[in-house]
Amino acid sequence: QLQLVESGGGLVQHGGSLRLSCTASGFTLDYYAIGWFRQAPGKEREMVSCLSSGGGVTYYADSVKGRFTISRDNAKNTVFLQMNSLEPEDTAVYYCARGGRGYRSNQLFLNTYDYDYWGQGTQVTVSS
């Protein structure tokens, strides 16, 4: 019953946009930070963004800052990643994951070991 399900990936041309969704089941978002990660072929897994459980503190990797936006809809228990101005370098499998517990906290979790549940991933491919 505890799971994270990503959706919204696909094929898009460079300069285009996609909106990824991460729907949580079995827990409430205001108790856990949520992170977005990505892994491209032959590259290390990278943290893309993180949202604190309080919803007021965010983190973005330098490579996506200014182009990506993380947000959430508590009524739908869903976290979003809006991706604009996509580049071929953004091509990867994108994962959402549940971070450290803390009720309406402003803490961010920037390390993989802070995350205990992961979604199945959704493929994002950006063409040239």
Side-chain angles (χ1 to χ4, degrees):
Q1 61 180 12
L2 199 164
Q3 62 178 336
L4 299 162
V5 179
E6 302 99 332
S7 62
L11 175 64
V12 65
Q13 293 183 345
H14 64 87
S17 298
L18 286 173
R19 190 192 195 195
L20 305 184
S21 298
C22 172
T23 299
S25 300
F27 67 96
T28 301
L29 292 176
D30 59 358
Y31 282 89
Y32 294 91
I34 298 294
W36 282 99
F37 298 79
R38 68 185 183 188
Q39 187 162 22
K43 294 188 177 181
E44 296 288 325
R45 180 172 50 186
E46 173 189 19
M47 169 168 276
V48 175
S49 185
C50 180
L51 179 67
S52 66
S53 61
V57 184
T58 59
Y59 163 84
Y60 298 97
D62 288 342
S63 58
V64 307
K65 189 173 295 184
R67 300 187 297 119
F68 291 11
T69 303
I70 191 169
S71 63
R72 74 186 190 190
D73 184 336
N74 287 346
K76 298 180 179 179
N77 219 39
T78 298
V79 178
F80 303 98
L81 186 68
Q82 179 67 45
M83 307 187 296
N84 298 327
S85 301
L86 284 163
E87 305 167 356
E89 293 75 17
D90 296 315
T91 295
V93 177
Y94 284 71
Y95 302 88
C96 67
R98 189 179 79 168
R101 184 184 178 102
Y103 181 68
R104 294 181 178 177
S105 173
N106 62 0
Q107 284 194 328
L108 296 173
F109 297 88
L110 306 182
N111 299 298
T112 301
Y113 58 74
D114 290 316
Y115 294 83
D116 59 355
Y117 284 91
W118 296 73
Q120 83 289 349
T122 185
Q123 176 71 49
V124 172
T125 303
V126 185
S127 66
S128 301

